[in-house]
Amino acid sequence: MHCPFCKHPDSRVVDSRTTDDGTSIRRRRQCPDCGRRFTTVETASLMVIKRSGVTEPFSRSKVIAGVRKACQGRPVTEDALAQLGQRVEEAVRATGSAELSTHDVGLAILGPLQDLDLVAYLRFASVYRAFDSLEDFETAITELREQLPPTTPGGLDEDLGVPAPAAAAD
């Protein structure tokens, strides 16, 4: 590791410890030439294979930007988007794979997005689950209705802005 101050081509590790989230290692280094100390952070590289076949490093900011589009016009805060980005990154790193497809990353987004906002989830899912028809949307909405607890005020229907199914008359 080159010293950032004097550009000496070597340095000595003084201290190493993992970060709080366990995804990287923080190393305190000292230059043997100028004696100054500096910190480095090491993370395992995670590559994403795009549809074109090109690989690029995983980017949490790209995840957040994509989800932000699905959340357009929805009551979702920037803090919530940042937390979602962190959850997605943790999930894809937990797979243990060094390379993932963009489709795999998109699927990793669906769970946290469903917890965040149901309308944004449906918007995003329509792309990553390749909805082809209204029936695909209806199936997804039915699945969401079955997952919601029955005591949810308004429930999915209110969140989606559609009328609730009529109750059966006795």
Side-chain angles (χ1 to χ4, degrees):
M1 182 76 195
H2 288 271
C3 173
F5 304 107
C6 71
K7 306 298 182 214
H8 185 62
D10 196 19
S11 63
R12 180 173 72 88
V13 175
V14 179
D15 181 41
S16 290
R17 57 183 75 183
T18 59
T19 56
D20 291 337
D21 61 3
T23 59
S24 55
I25 298 173
R26 180 184 168 276
R27 297 194 195 279
R28 212 45 199 142
R29 297 176 178 269
Q30 183 172 7
C31 176
D33 195 38
C34 70
R36 294 180 75 179
R37 291 185 175 199
F38 56 98
T39 302
T40 60
V41 178
E42 298 175 18
T43 58
S45 66
L46 179 62
M47 300 301 284
V48 176
I49 304 167
K50 300 179 83 168
R51 290 182 191 144
S52 65
V54 174
T55 60
E56 66 179 39
F58 174 83
S59 170
R60 186 187 300 187
S61 61
K62 280 192 169 187
V63 168
I64 293 170
V67 172
R68 185 179 288 119
K69 289 176 188 173
C71 292
Q72 192 170 10
R74 302 295 304 157
V76 176
T77 65
E78 284 299 313
D79 285 344
L81 289 175
Q83 289 174 356
L84 181 138
Q86 181 175 349
R87 285 180 61 189
V88 170
E89 183 171 359
E90 289 170 357
V92 295
R93 287 193 183 277
T95 66
S97 179
E99 292 184 338
L100 297 164
S101 69
T102 52
H103 186 73
D104 293 335
V105 174
L107 292 176
I109 292 169
L110 290 176
L113 186 54
Q114 183 178 344
D115 296 340
L116 181 64
D117 187 272
L118 294 173
V119 173
Y121 166 81
L122 283 172
R123 290 175 180 170
F124 200 87
S126 69
V127 174
Y128 280 93
R129 289 176 50 196
F131 288 6
D132 292 326
S133 64
L134 288 176
E135 288 78 24
D136 292 336
F137 280 96
E138 289 171 347
T139 301
I141 290 170
T142 301
E143 290 170 2
L144 288 172
R145 280 190 183 122
E146 291 169 357
Q147 292 174 12
L148 285 177
T151 58
T152 304
L156 179 65
D157 301 314
E158 184 177 289
D159 289 343
L160 296 176
V162 296
D170 288 339

